[in-house]
Amino acid sequence: MNPDWINAIIGGLMIGTATGILMLGNGRIAGISGILGGWIGSSKPSDWAERALFLIGLLAAPLVYYASNSVPQITVTNSFPLLVIGGLAVGIGTIMGSGCTSGHGICGNSRLSKRSIVATLTFMATGGITVAALNYFA
Amino acid sequence: MRKIIALASGLLFSFGLIISDMVNPARVIAFLDVTGDWDPTLGFVMGGAITTASIAWIIARPRKSAYFGGTIPPMPTQPVDRNLVTGSAIFGIGWGLVGICPGPAIVAMSFGKWEVAVFIVAMMAGMALYNFGWFKLPKLGLGPA
């Protein structure tokens, strides 16, 4: 098994390539919150199908991967209120802020969009403060 | 062809998240935990992703349209506004609370954990709440929304 940081770079290169394929091929920004949010909201049928196929790709890859690899252990909080509040905040925040870690963090930052740089610095900062606060109070 | 591109991009994106272990919320929280036992892994993932994504933008620069229809997305013309900053701040809080953002949330559904399912339902409810205009920023006199 590679050291973590090598896997991180390889995984990152793949993610960046995936966003590049979607942008160069279809003229779409691979922002997951945007794709999901647009899919929930109304959009044209052809557009809806493309969004759905991207999401199916996201869902299908782990099933393919874990058919031949061991399923890793993931650790996530089991606090119901935390999951609900966190989910609502991520849902509302990414639509209000027009993007998340993929749309702003990868696509926008890689073209030096000022909006994306501000968004990324903001969610990194509040994310860091939230984790520090949770550690302090919990 | 556009549909194949969409599916291939989703698959590759997801494999990237799996290989880099970004589907693991504990890993994401460890990156945000700058005052504690900091884990820089997410930074390497972002660095790798931004590298290939910027190459794609350089390839796109002389083009007006995408290879299989549609236009190359133009630079956003809106200024940095209140919605961008407030929304990103709210997203960051949720991200820090649980360690899941939208991409890994969908990929992690395959683990069959109830925690991820609860998070996704809440996240989609949040998106719908905002999309349908049921959640609005109060007017605080902080400039144009």
Side-chain angles (χ1 to χ4, degrees):
Chain A
M1 200 63 187
N2 292 325
D4 289 351
W5 66 272
I6 295 182
N7 284 344
I9 292 175
I10 295 171
L13 293 172
M14 290 169 72
I15 296 168
T17 306
T19 69
I21 290 173
L22 197 67
M23 185 270 291
L24 285 169
N26 292 0
R28 293 282 179 217
I29 297 287
I32 314 297
S33 60
I35 290 173
L36 190 62
W39 186 68
I40 296 170
S42 58
S43 54
K44 288 179 296 182
S46 63
D47 193 37
W48 189 89
E50 281 175 25
R51 289 171 192 268
L53 278 163
F54 181 88
L55 296 171
I56 288 169
L58 281 184
L59 271 172
L63 304 176
V64 174
Y65 184 84
Y66 299 129
S68 54
N69 293 275
S70 58
V71 179
Q73 289 298 311
I74 69 162
T75 313
V76 60
T77 177
N78 61 2
S79 153
F80 189 82
L82 214 55
L83 289 162
V84 170
I85 295 166
L88 279 172
V90 169
I92 292 169
T94 52
I95 304 296
M96 183 191 287
S98 315
C100 57
T101 356
S102 49
H104 283 311
I106 296 164
C107 297
N109 284 340
S110 63
R111 74 190 307 196
L112 301 176
S113 153
K114 196 174 146 202
R115 277 173 61 86
S116 291
I117 293 168
V118 171
T120 308
L121 292 174
T122 305
F123 65 66
M124 290 277 182
T126 55
I129 292 166
T130 304
V131 170
L134 270 185
N135 287 343
Y136 186 78
F137 293 111
Chain B
M1 193 60 201
R2 288 180 61 91
K3 291 188 168 65
I4 296 172
I5 293 286
L7 181 66
S9 174
L11 281 169
L12 187 60
F13 198 109
S14 188
F15 278 125
L17 286 174
I18 293 166
I19 287 168
S20 60
D21 199 29
M22 288 301 113
V23 286
N24 188 355
R27 189 70 103 158
V28 174
I29 288 178
F31 174 79
L32 293 172
D33 191 10
V34 281
T35 57
D37 191 10
W38 188 57
D39 174 352
T41 306
L42 190 145
F44 286 107
V45 180
M46 287 287 262
I50 288 174
T51 305
T52 34
S54 25
I55 293 170
W57 283 117
I58 292 166
I59 297 171
R61 191 172 288 168
R63 300 184 61 92
K64 279 205 169 63
S65 54
Y67 287 90
F68 304 109
T71 50
I72 297 290
M75 271 291 220
T77 50
Q78 313 100 288
V80 171
D81 58 17
R82 196 165 67 117
N83 276 352
L84 179 85
V85 176
T86 316
S88 298
I90 294 173
F91 162 47
I93 292 170
W95 194 36
L97 286 176
V98 185
I100 308 181
C101 54
I106 295 169
V107 181
M109 276 170 76
S110 63
F111 293 110
K113 287 178 96 79
W114 68 265
E115 292 92 339
V116 177
V118 169
F119 181 88
I120 295 225
V121 170
M123 179 178 82
M124 291 175 79
M127 289 178 165
L129 280 176
Y130 193 79
N131 267 345
F132 298 135
W134 293 334
F135 183 93
K136 286 226 171 70
L137 277 181
K139 292 254 178 284
L140 295 171
L142 296 174

